[in-house]
Protein backbone atom coordinates (compact mmCIF):
# COMPACT_ATOMS: atom_id res chain seq x y z
CA UNK A 1 0.00 0.00 0.00
CA UNK A 2 2.75 2.47 0.89
CA UNK A 3 6.43 2.85 0.10
CA UNK A 4 8.58 4.67 2.65
CA UNK A 5 11.28 5.78 0.22
CA UNK A 6 11.51 6.59 -3.46
CA UNK A 7 10.56 4.36 -6.38
CA UNK A 8 12.94 4.35 -9.34
CA UNK A 9 11.33 2.99 -12.51
CA UNK A 10 13.41 5.11 -14.90
CA UNK A 11 13.77 2.41 -17.56
CA UNK A 12 10.06 1.54 -17.70
CA UNK A 13 8.63 2.40 -21.15
CA UNK A 14 5.07 1.15 -20.71
CA UNK A 15 2.62 1.34 -17.79
CA UNK A 16 0.77 -1.75 -18.99
CA UNK A 17 0.30 -4.06 -16.00
CA UNK A 18 2.01 -1.67 -13.59
CA UNK A 19 0.49 -1.55 -10.13
CA UNK A 20 1.77 1.28 -7.96
CA UNK A 21 1.18 1.75 -4.23
CA UNK A 22 -1.43 4.22 -2.95
CA UNK A 23 1.27 6.41 -1.44
CA UNK A 24 4.99 6.97 -1.90
CA UNK A 25 6.83 8.98 0.75
CA UNK A 26 9.71 9.75 -1.60
CA UNK A 27 9.94 10.48 -5.31
CA UNK A 28 8.60 8.49 -8.24
CA UNK A 29 10.78 8.33 -11.33
CA UNK A 30 9.05 7.26 -14.55
CA UNK A 31 11.48 9.09 -16.83
CA UNK A 32 11.20 6.81 -19.88
CA UNK A 33 7.42 6.48 -19.93
CA UNK A 34 6.08 8.05 -23.15
CA UNK A 35 2.38 7.30 -22.66
CA UNK A 36 0.13 7.61 -19.60
CA UNK A 37 -2.34 5.05 -20.92
CA UNK A 38 -2.89 2.38 -18.28
CA UNK A 39 -1.02 4.40 -15.66
CA UNK A 40 -2.62 4.75 -12.24
CA UNK A 41 -0.46 7.00 -10.10
CA UNK A 42 -0.47 6.98 -6.30
CA UNK A 43 -2.78 9.50 -4.59
CA UNK A 44 0.14 11.00 -2.70
CA UNK A 45 3.80 11.33 -3.59
CA UNK A 46 6.03 12.90 -0.96
CA UNK A 47 8.84 13.85 -3.34
CA UNK A 48 9.20 14.49 -7.07
CA UNK A 49 7.11 12.99 -9.84
CA UNK A 50 9.17 12.64 -12.99
CA UNK A 51 7.19 12.03 -16.17
CA UNK A 52 9.38 14.14 -18.44
CA UNK A 53 9.23 11.74 -21.41
CA UNK A 54 5.44 11.75 -21.78
CA UNK A 55 4.53 12.80 -25.31
CA UNK A 56 0.79 13.07 -24.65
CA UNK A 57 -1.40 13.90 -21.66
CA UNK A 58 -4.05 11.45 -22.86
CA UNK A 59 -5.09 9.22 -19.96
CA UNK A 60 -3.03 11.13 -17.40
CA UNK A 61 -4.53 11.51 -13.94
CA UNK A 62 -2.20 13.25 -11.52
CA UNK A 63 -1.92 12.52 -7.79
CA UNK A 64 -3.82 14.64 -5.28
CA UNK A 65 -0.58 15.88 -3.77
CA UNK A 66 3.07 15.96 -4.76
CA UNK A 67 5.60 17.04 -2.16
CA UNK A 68 8.26 17.97 -4.71
CA UNK A 69 8.31 19.11 -8.32
CA UNK A 70 6.29 17.70 -11.21
CA UNK A 71 8.26 17.11 -14.41
CA UNK A 72 6.24 17.09 -17.64
CA UNK A 73 8.83 18.74 -19.88
CA UNK A 74 7.54 17.25 -23.15
CA UNK A 75 4.05 18.69 -22.64
CA UNK A 76 2.76 22.24 -23.07
CA UNK A 77 0.09 24.15 -21.17
CA UNK A 78 -2.31 23.59 -24.06
CA UNK A 79 -1.84 19.82 -23.74
CA UNK A 80 -2.71 19.77 -20.03
CA UNK A 81 -5.74 22.09 -20.14
CA UNK A 82 -8.15 19.28 -19.27
CA UNK A 83 -6.07 17.63 -16.57
CA UNK A 84 -6.91 18.14 -12.93
CA UNK A 85 -3.82 19.50 -11.22
CA UNK A 86 -2.70 18.29 -7.78
CA UNK A 87 -3.83 20.19 -4.68
CA UNK A 88 -0.20 20.73 -3.78
CA UNK A 89 3.09 20.63 -5.70
CA UNK A 90 6.24 22.76 -5.59
CA UNK A 91 6.92 23.65 -9.23
CA UNK A 92 5.63 22.24 -12.49
CA UNK A 93 8.09 21.88 -15.35
CA UNK A 94 6.52 22.08 -18.81
CA UNK A 95 7.91 22.57 -22.29
CA UNK A 96 6.88 26.23 -22.17
CA UNK A 97 8.35 27.01 -18.75
CA UNK A 98 8.49 26.38 -15.02
CA UNK A 99 5.39 27.37 -13.07
CA UNK A 100 4.14 27.41 -9.53
CA UNK A 101 0.78 25.70 -9.03
CA UNK A 102 -1.05 29.02 -8.65
CA UNK A 103 0.59 30.53 -11.77
CA UNK A 104 -0.33 27.49 -13.83
CA UNK A 105 -3.92 27.46 -12.58
CA UNK A 106 -4.29 31.13 -13.58
CA UNK A 107 -2.75 30.54 -17.02
CA UNK A 108 -4.99 27.53 -17.61
CA UNK A 109 -8.08 29.53 -16.58
CA UNK A 110 -7.11 32.31 -19.02
CA UNK A 111 -6.52 29.84 -21.86
CA UNK A 112 -9.83 28.07 -21.17
CA UNK A 113 -11.65 31.42 -21.19
CA UNK A 114 -10.02 32.35 -24.51
CA UNK A 115 -11.00 28.98 -25.98
CA UNK A 116 -14.59 29.47 -24.78
CA UNK A 117 -14.71 32.95 -26.34
CA UNK A 118 -13.26 31.65 -29.59
CA UNK A 119 -15.82 28.83 -29.66
CA UNK A 120 -18.63 31.36 -29.13
CA UNK A 121 -17.22 33.55 -31.92
CA UNK A 122 -17.03 30.56 -34.24
CA UNK A 123 -20.67 29.65 -33.51
CA UNK A 124 -21.81 33.23 -34.00
CA UNK A 125 -19.92 33.51 -37.29
CA UNK A 126 -21.38 30.25 -38.55
CA UNK A 127 -24.94 31.40 -37.65
CA UNK A 128 -25.41 35.17 -38.00
CA UNK A 129 -28.95 34.98 -36.54
CA UNK A 130 -27.51 34.26 -33.08
CA UNK A 131 -26.83 37.27 -30.87
CA UNK A 132 -25.40 37.71 -27.38
CA UNK A 133 -28.71 39.04 -26.10
CA UNK A 134 -30.79 36.12 -27.31
CA UNK A 135 -28.59 33.16 -28.30
CA UNK A 136 -31.49 30.72 -28.75
CA UNK A 137 -33.86 32.76 -30.92
CA UNK A 138 -31.40 35.00 -32.67
CA UNK A 139 -31.88 38.36 -34.33
CA UNK A 140 -34.84 37.81 -36.69
CA UNK A 141 -35.44 40.54 -39.23
CA UNK A 142 -39.05 41.79 -38.85
CA UNK A 143 -39.51 41.87 -42.63
CA UNK A 144 -39.25 38.08 -42.75
CA UNK A 145 -42.46 38.01 -40.72
CA UNK A 146 -44.27 41.04 -42.16
CA UNK A 147 -43.85 40.27 -45.88
CA UNK A 148 -45.42 36.77 -45.76
CA UNK A 149 -48.18 38.06 -43.45
CA UNK A 150 -48.90 40.99 -45.78
CA UNK A 151 -48.84 38.68 -48.79
CA UNK A 152 -51.33 36.35 -47.12
CA UNK A 153 -53.60 39.27 -46.17
CA UNK A 154 -53.43 40.66 -49.70
CA UNK A 155 -54.33 37.23 -51.11
CA UNK A 156 -57.37 37.04 -48.83
CA UNK A 157 -58.53 40.52 -49.86
CA UNK A 158 -58.11 39.74 -53.57
CA UNK A 159 -59.90 36.40 -53.19
CA UNK A 160 -62.81 38.01 -51.39
CA UNK A 161 -63.09 40.70 -54.09
CA UNK A 162 -63.01 38.09 -56.88
CA UNK A 163 -65.62 35.85 -55.29
CA UNK A 164 -68.00 38.77 -54.45
CA UNK A 165 -68.16 39.99 -58.01
Amino acid sequence: KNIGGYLDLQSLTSAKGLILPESIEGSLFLNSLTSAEGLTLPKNIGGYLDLHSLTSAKGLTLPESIGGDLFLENLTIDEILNIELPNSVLDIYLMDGIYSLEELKKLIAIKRERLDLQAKRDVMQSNPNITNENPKRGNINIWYILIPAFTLLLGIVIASVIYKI
Side-chain angles (χ1 to χ4, degrees):
K1 262 191 158 185
N2 298 318
I3 291 183
Y6 69 91
L7 186 56
D8 188 349
L9 301 171
Q10 290 187 44
S11 60
L12 189 70
T13 57
S14 170
K16 189 174 183 178
L18 177 65
I19 299 173
L20 292 169
E22 288 181 23
S23 180
I24 297 175
E25 288 182 25
S27 298
L28 175 58
F29 299 99
L30 295 166
N31 306 32
S32 300
L33 202 61
T34 57
S35 170
E37 291 187 49
L39 178 64
T40 303
L41 291 167
K43 288 184 179 185
N44 301 300
I45 297 176
Y48 300 109
L49 175 56
D50 194 341
L51 296 166
H52 76 257
S53 294
L54 283 186
T55 56
S56 167
K58 183 178 179 183
L60 180 61
T61 302
L62 293 171
E64 292 175 11
S65 71
I66 300 171
D69 295 328
L70 171 60
F71 296 93
L72 298 168
E73 289 126 313
N74 274 340
L75 302 178
T76 64
I77 292 175
D78 290 338
E79 293 172 304
I80 64 163
L81 285 178
N82 298 320
I83 292 178
E84 188 173 336
L85 295 173
N87 297 325
S88 64
V89 62
L90 290 181
D91 286 321
I92 301 170
Y93 290 72
L94 297 173
M95 187 182 295
D96 22 34
I98 302 169
Y99 305 94
S100 71
L101 181 60
E102 294 308 313
E103 286 174 323
L104 190 56
K105 283 182 179 182
K106 288 176 185 174
L107 286 171
I108 287 175
I110 290 168
K111 285 190 175 267
R112 284 180 182 160
E113 187 175 320
R114 285 184 183 160
L115 287 173
D116 288 346
L117 287 172
Q118 185 60 47
K120 286 178 184 176
R121 278 191 209 110
D122 292 345
V123 168
M124 290 175 75
Q125 287 174 351
S126 67
N127 187 351
N129 290 332
I130 296 176
T131 64
N132 283 336
E133 293 78 30
N134 192 353
K136 290 182 182 173
R137 184 168 177 209
N139 185 10
I140 298 173
N141 191 331
I142 193 71
W143 291 110
Y144 290 114
I145 296 170
L146 291 178
I147 290 174
F150 181 72
T151 305
L152 180 63
L153 183 60
L154 184 61
I156 293 170
V157 169
I158 291 172
S160 67
V161 169
I162 291 174
Y163 289 111
K164 282 187 181 181
I165 298 179

